[in-house]
Amino acid sequence: MAEAKLNREYAARVAGVGTLLVGICLWSLYDGQTAWPRQNRVMERVRPALLAPRLTAEAWLSPDGERGTRLDAAFRAQGEKAPAKLVRKLGELRIPDSAPDRDAARAAQLEQVRKTLEQPVYSARDLQTQFVQAAVTLALALCAFAAVGLKAFRRFVADDTGLHGSGVGARTIGYDEIRSVDWARWDEKGIVRLALKNGRRLTLDGWHFAGMTGVVEEILRHRPELRGKQHDTVVAG
């Protein structure tokens, strides 16, 4: 007799993916509900000091002693740290060396810097995206856990009476009911597909279920003519 049941390595990997997705979900919720709104509130407090001097992006990001940039100094005065996203936004506004008219580019940049500093670090859309991401990752995590949970109760048993177990169905499948075996994915994936004479197809997956090699060998012990080569489909009458 041979029995195949949930492969622990497969279960651990899928459950690990599910756990990672739960972590991303919680992190997204934390950012959307706590961390990012807090940075927006900090920005509101520091904004008057940022708008007063009317500096270019290069000036805000220039060194200010040994403790960082002018932007860092403005936030440090409020006991805070400059948001990384604001630093990136200002960095994207730097005037390229290839600009043909630097005076015009500087004037346009000053206006863009002002608009950037007048806005929240994270927009309402940014916050909404985090909640959407949390919902999507949670749904995917639940799917991963469900896949493992459902397979945990499935068994495939092959003995002298035929194939039976919760993975096969309510009744025993006699070996003489097997019409053909598709071996195309057996060598690479450890998967075979049985085609029964009543039209039903049954997949035996050696990655999801440990011990499936023994089940397949038991089938071939009773039906040796079904043995096939890699990528071949062997048909029996």
Side-chain angles (χ1 to χ4, degrees):
M1 184 191 82
E3 180 182 17
K5 55 186 178 180
L6 181 66
N7 184 351
R8 292 184 179 181
E9 181 183 356
Y10 158 79
R13 290 192 182 187
V14 176
V17 171
T19 301
L20 175 63
L21 290 168
V22 169
I24 295 174
C25 170
L26 295 176
W27 190 270
S28 299
L29 287 175
Y30 173 74
D31 279 345
Q33 190 168 3
T34 303
W36 290 5
R38 181 185 180 280
Q39 291 194 30
N40 283 345
R41 292 193 296 271
V42 170
M43 183 68 179
E44 289 178 7
R45 296 205 313 270
V46 183
R47 184 172 288 117
L50 297 175
L51 292 175
R54 190 169 170 76
L55 299 177
T56 63
E58 288 81 1
W60 279 119
L61 299 177
S62 64
D64 182 56
E66 298 181 355
R67 302 184 63 185
T69 64
R70 290 188 182 184
L71 186 68
D72 292 325
F75 279 87
R76 193 165 55 245
Q78 294 288 334
E80 300 290 348
K81 182 179 179 181
K85 184 172 183 180
L86 179 60
V87 175
R88 289 196 301 271
K89 285 182 176 180
L90 292 177
E92 292 170 357
L93 296 178
R94 290 178 183 271
I95 299 174
D97 295 335
S98 58
D101 188 342
R102 296 192 65 82
D103 289 337
R106 184 178 183 276
Q109 187 214 60
L110 284 171
E111 180 64 16
Q112 288 299 317
V113 169
R114 180 186 65 80
K115 291 180 179 179
T116 299
L117 298 178
E118 287 178 345
Q119 297 171 357
V121 179
Y122 294 96
S123 66
R125 184 175 181 179
D126 291 332
L127 300 180
Q128 183 181 25
T129 299
Q130 291 304 103
F131 293 116
V132 172
Q133 178 172 285
V136 171
T137 52
L138 179 59
L140 293 174
L142 293 176
C143 289
F145 293 136
V148 173
L150 292 174
K151 288 181 175 65
F153 296 99
R154 300 184 69 185
R155 296 288 188 275
F156 296 82
V157 178
D159 55 24
D160 289 340
T161 65
L163 292 173
H164 55 93
S166 56
V168 172
R171 69 176 189 84
T172 299
I173 298 175
Y175 297 114
D176 60 347
E177 297 181 51
I178 301 174
R179 180 175 59 83
S180 64
V181 180
D182 183 350
W183 298 95
R185 302 175 65 190
W186 176 247
D187 287 348
E188 183 180 354
K189 300 290 187 179
I191 298 174
V192 296
R193 296 189 69 192
L194 308 183
L196 306 183
K197 292 179 179 179
N198 62 5
R200 179 187 171 192
R201 293 185 178 274
L202 178 64
T203 299
L204 305 181
D205 191 327
W207 167 235
H208 292 176
F209 299 95
M212 196 60 79
T213 297
V215 171
V216 172
E217 289 176 351
E218 187 70 12
I219 293 173
L220 295 178
R221 189 172 72 84
H222 291 83
R223 294 287 304 278
E225 74 277 13
L226 293 175
R227 189 181 302 274
K229 297 180 181 179
Q230 185 181 18
H231 304 308
D232 285 344
T233 300
V234 177
V235 179

